[in-house]
Amino acid sequence: MEEEYGDFPKNAIGTMIRKMLTMLDEHEIGPKLSVCYNFVLKHEALLTNVPEPVKNNDRAAQLRQQGNRLYLAKRYAKALEKYNESICYAEAGSDQLAIGYANRSAIYFEQGEYEFALLNIRLARDHNYPEKLTAKLDAREKNCRKKIDEGLAKDNVPCPRLGINVEVNPKIPFLAKGIGMKHYSGSGRGLVAERNFKAGDVILDEKTILSVVSVANRYLNCSHCGISNQHSLIPCPNCVHCMYCSEECLAEDKPLHRFECGFGAQIGNVTFNCSNMGHKLFFYGLKLFKDDLNQMMNYCEKNANTGSDPFTLDYRKYDPLEEFKHFMKSKLTCNPLVEYTFKLCAAAAYVVLMKQPSISSLFPSKSQKQFFLNCLYNCQRVAAY
């Protein structure tokens, strides 16, 4: 869905961008958001012709068989991806889910990753692994433990963090002292080194707040923290588009994922680069405002694009709401073509999202609907820069 050719993705939003560009003169490259919204409505059929896949054991078995063929060919990375996809499609409580975990353990055994193999054996046992196949799993577990006892363990630790090894910023303990921020005309702001660092210095170790995973990596990365952690990925219990590296990440993402669960294909159809971060950032902000839309609306409409300096925040007393407010105040400069794509992506995302009753019910008034559209656009800009 998100495969790209030329400069734009091969999906609905890519088609719309190309269509609109052919209609605009050079001086019209930055049309108003309302113009982009009306354009999307005229081409709404492009947004609705996407089938939405659901959990299906037959599909899970088919994907697992594809993984088996790749496994026999020793193409372990590709096999792992197919097994993960199979796990995502497996219906809750079915043995297809357990068999997927067991197959994943076989890959790690072959690669000498015995700890990860044991982790997946446990997942298989915890998810109704078929009794008739237990002997095979028992043998693999026994062999894993034997290899570890023989000193062949790699002592793998899932998701190791390096940690900052230089003096830290007194107000931002996850950032090295001597890192500042600079504004670049036409391309936004960025971090710069204000002193010399040497190879091996870890200058940033920040925990992810939000992440979006591309379609190409959705069976390889955690949908919450974004980390590549294939050995322990578990599926969203309700859709086939998201996997998580732990139960903790699954639980932490639930308040936001509920706004996109079940129509991920439609979201992917209107995604260009990280534009799907726009709605995720919006709903994250709404959660921080304790679901008080009017309070969020009042703040954002008064303060959006007024300018902010995140280095003034004191992260020793971390306040996620204050951090989000700084996001919304960011004054960003983008070139006209980029602004145009942000507007079109925001309008397309708005149309898709507002078709979901659980979302449209949050915005009963005309002013609230307009705020949602405007804020999606602003959130996309903030997320990109």
Side-chain angles (χ1 to χ4, degrees):
M1 185 63 63
E2 210 180 6
E3 178 187 355
E4 295 190 12
Y5 65 91
D7 294 325
F8 304 112
K10 192 177 180 180
N11 59 8
I13 195 63
T15 301
M16 288 184 181
I17 291 172
R18 286 187 293 274
K19 279 180 177 289
M20 199 167 187
L21 279 175
T22 61
M23 298 168 55
L24 298 173
D25 295 329
E26 186 175 349
H27 66 280
E28 296 176 317
I29 198 67
K32 293 181 179 179
L33 183 57
S34 59
V35 173
C36 291
Y37 174 63
N38 290 331
F39 181 84
V40 169
L41 290 180
K42 289 180 181 178
H43 297 84
E44 191 173 352
L46 290 171
L47 309 180
T48 58
N49 62 355
V50 182
E52 197 65 59
V54 296
K55 303 277 187 185
N56 183 286
N57 279 342
D58 290 338
R59 178 61 176 156
Q62 182 184 53
L63 290 164
R64 197 180 68 255
Q65 289 164 7
Q66 293 175 20
N68 289 344
R69 289 192 288 271
L70 291 164
Y71 171 81
L72 292 173
K74 299 188 183 301
R75 297 176 62 189
Y76 295 134
K78 289 293 184 182
L80 182 63
E81 187 172 358
K82 284 299 176 184
Y83 288 151
N84 283 346
E85 189 174 358
S86 172
I87 287 168
C88 252
Y89 271 86
E91 297 172 29
S94 71
D95 59 4
Q96 293 295 322
L97 183 59
I99 295 173
Y101 289 134
N103 284 15
R104 202 162 67 181
S105 75
I107 289 180
Y108 286 112
F109 180 82
E110 291 298 327
Q111 293 181 322
E113 309 277 4
Y114 304 117
E115 297 94 337
F116 293 159
L118 288 173
L119 185 153
N120 280 280
I121 289 171
R122 178 179 59 78
L123 285 171
R125 295 192 191 282
D126 290 346
H127 290 85
N128 302 319
Y129 190 71
E131 187 174 348
K132 63 183 180 181
L133 300 176
T134 300
K136 189 174 183 180
L137 201 64
D138 289 344
R140 186 175 301 140
E141 181 175 4
K142 182 178 179 180
N143 287 332
C144 282
R145 297 193 184 283
K146 180 181 178 183
K147 295 290 186 181
I148 291 173
D149 290 342
E150 291 172 353
L152 298 176
K154 295 183 179 179
D155 296 322
N156 287 318
V157 178
C159 314
R161 299 187 73 94
L162 294 175
I164 292 182
N165 56 7
V166 295
E167 186 179 0
V168 300
N169 184 305
K171 292 175 64 177
I172 311 175
F174 53 80
L175 182 69
K177 186 177 181 180
I179 298 294
M181 187 176 71
K182 183 177 179 180
H183 288 267
Y184 297 89
S185 177
S187 58
R189 62 193 183 191
L191 297 179
V192 294
E194 298 174 337
R195 68 178 180 87
N196 291 330
F197 291 93
K198 64 180 184 295
D201 286 347
V202 179
I203 61 174
L204 179 66
D205 184 28
E206 183 179 12
K207 183 180 178 181
T208 302
I209 300 171
L210 296 172
S211 69
V212 290
V213 177
S214 70
V215 172
N217 292 321
R218 64 186 173 193
Y219 301 122
L220 299 174
N221 294 69
C222 177
S223 289
H224 178 61
C225 70
I227 199 162
S228 176
N229 197 21
Q230 302 97 313
H231 55 265
S232 64
L233 289 177
I234 57 176
C236 168
N238 300 310
C239 78
V240 302
H241 296 290
C242 292
M243 301 194 82
Y244 299 94
C245 66
S246 64
E247 292 286 351
E248 290 76 15
C249 271
L250 189 154
E252 288 178 14
D253 197 44
K254 188 175 181 179
L256 302 182
H257 180 55
R258 64 191 173 102
F259 292 113
E260 59 186 7
C261 188
F263 57 101
Q266 296 173 62
I267 292 293
N269 199 30
V270 295
T271 295
F272 175 35
N273 290 337
C274 62
S275 65
N276 52 333
M277 179 62 88
H279 69 267
K280 201 159 189 176
L281 183 58
F282 175 89
F283 289 117
Y284 173 72
L286 184 60
K287 183 185 75 168
L288 295 178
F289 275 97
K290 298 181 179 179
D291 292 331
D292 189 331
L293 179 64
N294 289 327
Q295 186 181 2
M296 179 181 178
M297 187 171 164
N298 289 335
Y299 179 84
C300 291
E301 289 185 338
K302 291 177 182 177
N303 295 281
N305 206 36
T306 57
S308 71
D309 180 0
F311 275 69
T312 62
L313 288 169
D314 189 345
Y315 279 90
R316 295 170 300 180
K317 303 173 183 177
Y318 179 58
D319 184 340
L321 178 58
E322 286 304 310
E323 182 182 54
F324 177 79
K325 288 179 177 179
H326 269 260
F327 291 158
M328 294 299 98
K329 290 169 67 176
S330 300
K331 192 171 186 177
L332 306 171
T333 303
C334 309
N335 70 58
L337 178 59
V338 173
E339 288 285 2
Y340 152 70
T341 58
F342 284 151
K343 291 172 185 175
L344 203 57
C345 287
Y350 174 85
V351 171
V352 168
L353 292 166
M354 289 297 282
K355 288 182 179 295
Q356 312 306 317
S358 61
I359 294 177
S360 59
S361 62
L362 299 174
F363 310 98
S365 72
K366 183 177 180 180
S367 61
Q368 289 171 334
K369 289 180 174 66
Q370 187 62 51
F371 166 68
F372 183 37
L373 175 59
N374 292 341
C375 205
L376 282 177
Y377 163 56
N378 194 38
C379 284
Q380 286 189 10
R381 299 174 79 247
V382 170
Y385 283 87

